Amino acid sequence: MGSGAFALALALALPACVSPAERKCQLSGVWRNEQDSLMEISALANDGGFQGQYLTRVTLAGGCPRVSPLKGAQQQPSEAAGPTFAFTVRWDTFSNATTTFVGQCFVDTSGREMLSTTWLLREAVGSLEEDWKATRVGRNVFTRKRAPKGGILHSLSPSCEDAASPAP
């Protein structure tokens, strides 16, 4: 076997030696949480920054949700653990609220990637006296959704024009 063929055989064999739990978790891609909300995270920049889109299935006022922009940053992952990250979603046109998520990426023993997050949602209120009710806290776990890259969330977004039209 020539050195080129040996190098190719070695390169093909090495990934098989890595257990699912040792695989690195990558943030980029499409993710779904337990409420069926979807987000798509772009490729990470060299400084750990990323952008994406979020399509919620839950709204505060029952408005028609639209795809909303998200921006965030990932801490560089260590050898021992998946990366930690944070991102903010500015709910686009249907809500006067902002949500910030913090979390960590994990790979379970079967190789499934998960983003475990805690979030704070801040809703606008009319006065300082109402400030006590303006912030909510929660938790979501996202799992990777296999989907084509780029713009998939817009195709899955509900048609708000149809919902706003009066019934005949």
Side-chain angles (χ1 to χ4, degrees):
M1 179 184 302
S3 64
F6 178 73
L8 178 61
L10 183 61
L12 293 173
L14 282 178
C17 297
V18 176
S19 72
E22 293 171 330
R23 290 188 189 136
K24 297 295 181 196
C25 197
Q26 302 293 322
L27 288 182
S28 61
V30 178
W31 298 87
R32 179 189 311 263
N33 72 14
E34 59 275 12
Q35 276 80 38
D36 210 26
S37 295
L38 296 169
M39 73 174 162
E40 185 172 12
I41 297 176
S42 66
L44 271 65
N46 290 339
D47 66 356
F50 60 87
Q51 297 181 42
Q53 302 174 345
Y54 197 104
L55 176 59
T56 185
R57 298 291 186 201
V58 180
T59 63
L60 292 173
C64 185
R66 298 188 186 274
V67 173
S68 298
L70 69 82
K71 289 186 180 184
Q74 170 187 296
Q75 189 67 298
Q76 296 307 317
S78 70
E79 292 299 316
T84 59
F85 58 87
F87 63 88
T88 299
V89 178
R90 181 180 51 85
W91 302 113
D92 208 15
T93 69
F94 67 90
S95 178
N96 193 8
T98 301
T99 304
T100 298
F101 293 78
V102 295
Q104 185 172 352
C105 193
F106 295 96
V107 180
D108 69 12
T109 56
S110 67
R112 187 173 66 155
E113 294 170 287
M114 293 171 285
L115 305 178
S116 176
T117 66
T118 300
W119 51 263
L120 291 173
L121 179 143
R122 176 63 188 215
E123 182 179 14
V125 291
S127 69
L128 185 58
E129 290 75 27
E130 296 176 291
D131 187 58
W132 65 271
K133 66 180 182 179
T135 302
R136 298 179 180 152
V137 62
R139 182 173 186 275
N140 285 124
V141 175
F142 294 84
T143 55
R144 184 172 299 282
K145 178 177 174 32
R146 302 290 175 207
K149 289 187 177 181
I152 188 169
L153 297 191
H154 284 287
S155 68
L156 298 173
S157 184
S159 174
C160 294
E161 289 74 30
D162 293 342
S165 300

